[in-house]
């Protein structure tokens, strides 16, 4: 009985670790990066066309990376054991963010170039997302709620801070957020147990219910966007029809 009670009492090292949870809030930097790169007043506000190209390219990049990681999950194993390649992708994410926001969009580069660079930029963001998912999956449910909520607050605070900056400092600050988040991930892996190694023969079932729900949500969002009014009070369908009539 005495051994059981002693085992239930946290050691001095464990208590010290619980007093240093700020590194787990580093996910807020990733969320802030995602937010800032989609706000025209901060990022790519010089051109609506190029901003949409950058946003579309990022979607292609992160979705492509997610599909790649899912397809080769059994071979890749724990992402925490591939920190070097992850670090390279995150560094490329920072460089791509700065290149797009400071050079390509301001000089009016071709939309295809902006989309391509943005797609490559998003690869590092997708890796960061999956790395944080691995860290949080090794926590208890209470820790996930506390640090997840705390990360959202950190993201909001960083967004407010970046939003007060002038160009190009706001873009530079946004570009540095992924590397800060990666540093927090690297230190977070020290405090959480490593993910159990899976057999290379393991197969992962496709969560069809989630896929269907997200597909329906995407269709609903797209449909809503197609009928919402523009600032001039007309919907996109009406504007498109007027353009076709003028062409005739």
């Amino acid at each position: 009985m005495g051994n059981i009670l002693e085992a239930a009492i946290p050691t001095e090292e464990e208590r010290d670790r619980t007093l240093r949870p700020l590194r787990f809030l580093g996910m807020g930097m990733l969320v802030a990066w995602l937010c800032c790169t989609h706000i025209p007043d901060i990022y790519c506000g010089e051109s609506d066309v190029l901003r949409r190209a950058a946003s579309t390219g990022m979607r292609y990049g992160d979705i492509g990376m997610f599909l790649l990681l899912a397809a080769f999950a059994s071979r890749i194993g724990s992402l925490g054991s591939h920190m070097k390649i992850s670090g390279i992708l995150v560094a490329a994410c920072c460089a791509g963010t700065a290149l797009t926001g400071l050079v390509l969009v301001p000089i009016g580069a071709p939309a295809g170039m902006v989309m391509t660079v943005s797609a490559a930029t998003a690869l590092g963001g997708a890796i960061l997302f999956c790395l944080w998912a691995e860290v949080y999956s090794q926590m208890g449910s209470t820790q996930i709620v506390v640090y997840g909520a705390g990360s959202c607050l950190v993201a909001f605070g960083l967004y407010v801070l970046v939003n007060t900056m002038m160009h190009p400092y706001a873009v530079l600050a946004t570009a540095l957020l992924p590397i800060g988040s990666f540093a927090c991930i690297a230190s977070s892996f020290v405090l959480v147990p490593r993910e159990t190694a899976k057999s290379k023969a393991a197969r992962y079932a496709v969560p069809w219910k989630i896929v269907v729900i997200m597909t329906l949500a995407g269709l609903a969002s797209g449909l809503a966007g197609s009928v919402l009014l523009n600032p001039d009070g007309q919907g996109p369908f009406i504007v498109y029809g007027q353009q076709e009539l003028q062409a005739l």
Side-chain angles (χ1 to χ4, degrees):
M1 178 65 71
N3 292 334
I4 295 177
L5 291 176
E6 290 178 1
I9 300 175
T11 64
E12 185 66 28
E13 181 181 0
E14 291 172 339
R15 281 195 295 266
D16 184 54
R17 285 181 176 181
T18 60
L19 295 176
R20 293 182 284 110
L22 295 181
R23 66 190 70 185
F24 294 131
L25 301 178
M27 187 177 70
M29 296 184 185
L30 172 60
V31 177
W33 174 77
L34 291 170
C35 293
C36 291
T37 52
H38 289 82
I39 298 176
D41 290 340
I42 296 176
Y43 192 73
C44 298
E46 296 88 350
S47 169
D48 290 339
V49 173
L50 294 182
R51 179 172 56 84
R52 287 194 294 269
S55 180
T56 301
M58 284 189 173
R59 296 296 71 75
Y60 288 153
D62 54 30
I63 292 174
M65 177 58 79
F66 290 146
L67 291 175
L68 183 66
L69 293 175
F72 296 96
S74 58
R75 295 186 180 182
I76 296 174
S78 170
L79 286 177
S81 60
H82 303 284
M83 293 299 285
K84 288 185 179 180
I85 184 64
S86 297
I88 292 173
L89 290 174
V90 172
C93 176
C94 296
T97 301
L99 178 62
T100 302
L102 295 176
V103 180
L104 297 182
V105 173
I107 68 173
M113 180 183 295
V114 173
M115 185 178 297
T116 301
V117 173
S118 296
T121 299
L123 301 180
I127 284 290
L128 279 175
F129 183 89
C130 293
L131 283 170
W132 276 116
E134 185 173 323
V135 169
Y136 274 58
S137 67
Q138 304 305 312
M139 297 181 180
S141 57
T142 301
Q143 288 178 307
I144 292 175
V145 172
V146 171
Y147 296 134
S151 293
C152 291
L153 295 176
V154 169
F156 177 74
L158 289 172
Y159 154 71
V160 172
L161 177 63
V162 173
N163 198 39
T164 63
M165 300 179 182
M166 300 294 292
H167 187 85
Y169 303 108
V171 178
L172 289 173
T174 299
L176 291 175
L177 290 174
I179 200 68
S181 183
F182 182 76
C184 291
I185 287 176
S187 61
S188 294
F189 273 118
V190 178
L191 301 185
V192 296
R194 287 290 184 176
E195 182 178 353
T196 304
K198 302 293 191 304
S199 170
K200 291 185 177 181
R203 293 292 180 267
Y204 300 91
V206 177
W208 290 111
K209 292 182 179 180
I210 296 178
V211 172
V212 171
I213 291 174
M214 296 304 294
T215 301
L216 293 175
L219 290 174
S221 176
L223 180 61
S226 67
V227 299
L228 287 176
L229 297 180
N230 291 325
D232 59 359
Q234 296 179 333
F237 285 146
I238 297 176
V239 174
Y240 177 77
Q242 290 177 343
Q243 293 173 346
E244 290 297 315
L245 290 174
Q246 291 175 0
L248 294 175

